[in-house]
Amino acid sequence: MTEEVKAWWELTARWFQDDIDLDVGVNWTGMGVDDDLRLLLDVAGEDVLELGCGGGQCSVALAERGATVTGLDLSEEQLSFARELADEHDADADFVQGDVTDLGMFPDSTFDVAFNAYVFQWVDDLAACFRETHRVLREGGRFVFSMPHPVYGLADPESHEVAESYFDTGRQVTPQEDTELDMVTYRHSVADVHNALVGAGFRVERMLEPGSDDPDDYEEGPWGEHRPELLAKLPSTLIFEARAA
């Protein structure tokens, strides 16, 4: 992950956490806690790594389920919030600062499960991240993550027509009116993600695209960023389940 991504989160973390006000739990779709997907199954007694833990809501939830959890994040501001949240819930979770593309602070074969939710749009080098994740997982370890579906962001939110190219991957800059920094993210195709997983030594077990064709099943979100009519037409979330071979 890049210095500009880190700078963005150091600047906006507190505002983001206050506004989004996420409950403790696993937020796979970016629209609130949705543990009903049951992707991580029973983690009691397992060593779990959250890659890009943000405010720690997911890490705290898994610690409360009996996992030994380590949350990693690039931003010290996010980690500060996560530690406060863990203290509030009396949850035993460790939080460390670091880049998901370089997990050198962890020995080989340290974890049983690695996961994250809505993080990889911030990561430019997925191949490096996946190689490192494979290295720190034990043989047969599970890697589960969700990310923005690359097709959803291509549609104009008003007309629903395709407004951008699916093949325009890589660095994306979104101008911000209210901050001194623009937001930088990275667009990855489905093939990019799948092939990076396979190249790192993972066996992909499932891909999921959760959603509904009923606009009434969606809310607009804390900033009005979710468009129910568009969400009922296109998947907004892509989920991978993989296992370290």
Side-chain angles (χ1 to χ4, degrees):
M1 297 174 80
T2 65
E3 286 301 316
E4 57 191 349
V5 170
K6 180 178 180 181
W8 166 262
W9 280 111
E10 298 293 23
L11 178 67
T12 63
R14 287 288 169 171
W15 162 81
F16 174 84
Q17 294 295 343
D18 288 344
D19 268 23
I20 199 168
D21 193 26
L22 277 177
D23 293 331
V24 167
V26 183
N27 177 25
W28 291 113
T29 63
M31 298 183 196
V33 170
D34 37 35
D35 285 335
D36 58 319
L37 289 175
R38 300 298 296 162
L39 296 170
L40 294 178
L41 307 176
D42 184 7
V43 294
E46 295 194 316
D47 296 313
V48 177
L49 174 64
E50 182 176 8
L51 296 159
C53 63
Q57 291 87 355
C58 300
S59 285
V60 168
L62 296 194
E64 291 180 335
R65 294 186 201 173
T68 300
V69 182
T70 300
L72 177 85
D73 203 272
L74 193 66
S75 165
E76 287 290 358
E77 282 294 316
Q78 291 275 55
L79 292 169
S80 176
F81 186 97
R83 293 183 183 108
E84 292 169 9
L85 185 68
D87 288 343
E88 290 173 10
H89 286 259
D90 195 24
D92 187 12
D94 291 328
F95 295 101
V96 297
Q97 193 276 334
D99 189 323
V100 299
T101 65
D102 181 3
L103 304 178
M105 71 285 290
F106 303 121
D108 295 357
S109 304
T110 299
F111 299 99
D112 301 300
V113 176
F115 82 102
N116 69 42
Y118 269 62
V119 170
F120 288 148
Q121 69 270 32
W122 303 100
V123 179
D124 55 343
D125 192 350
L126 286 184
C129 174
F130 293 170
R131 288 193 301 268
E132 279 289 271
T133 303
H134 189 277
R135 180 184 65 79
V136 301
L137 280 173
R138 298 179 178 120
E139 184 176 356
R142 300 182 67 232
F143 185 23
V144 184
F145 60 88
S146 68
M147 60 192 298
H149 201 299
V151 305
Y152 182 78
L154 305 179
D156 180 273
E158 301 299 334
S159 69
H160 298 184
E161 295 180 355
V162 176
E164 299 182 46
S165 172
Y166 179 76
F167 305 105
D168 178 20
T169 58
R171 185 174 182 268
Q172 311 288 316
V173 179
T174 304
Q176 303 292 297
E177 294 182 357
D178 299 329
T179 68
E180 61 193 60
L181 295 175
D182 291 335
M183 184 174 66
V184 175
T185 56
Y186 297 89
R187 185 182 292 159
H188 308 283
S189 71
V190 176
D192 289 339
V193 182
H194 180 275
N195 292 339
L197 282 168
V198 173
F202 285 101
R203 182 177 70 252
V204 177
E205 296 188 331
R206 280 203 302 172
M207 289 190 293
L208 302 174
E209 298 166 302
S212 164
D213 62 1
D214 186 350
D216 291 338
D217 288 336
Y218 301 96
E219 298 181 357
E220 292 187 350
W223 308 293
E225 73 278 17
H226 301 149
R227 305 299 179 108
E229 293 293 336
L230 182 57
L231 287 164
K233 293 181 178 180
L234 293 173
S236 63
T237 300
L238 177 63
I239 298 174
F240 278 85
E241 292 185 73
R243 195 172 295 272

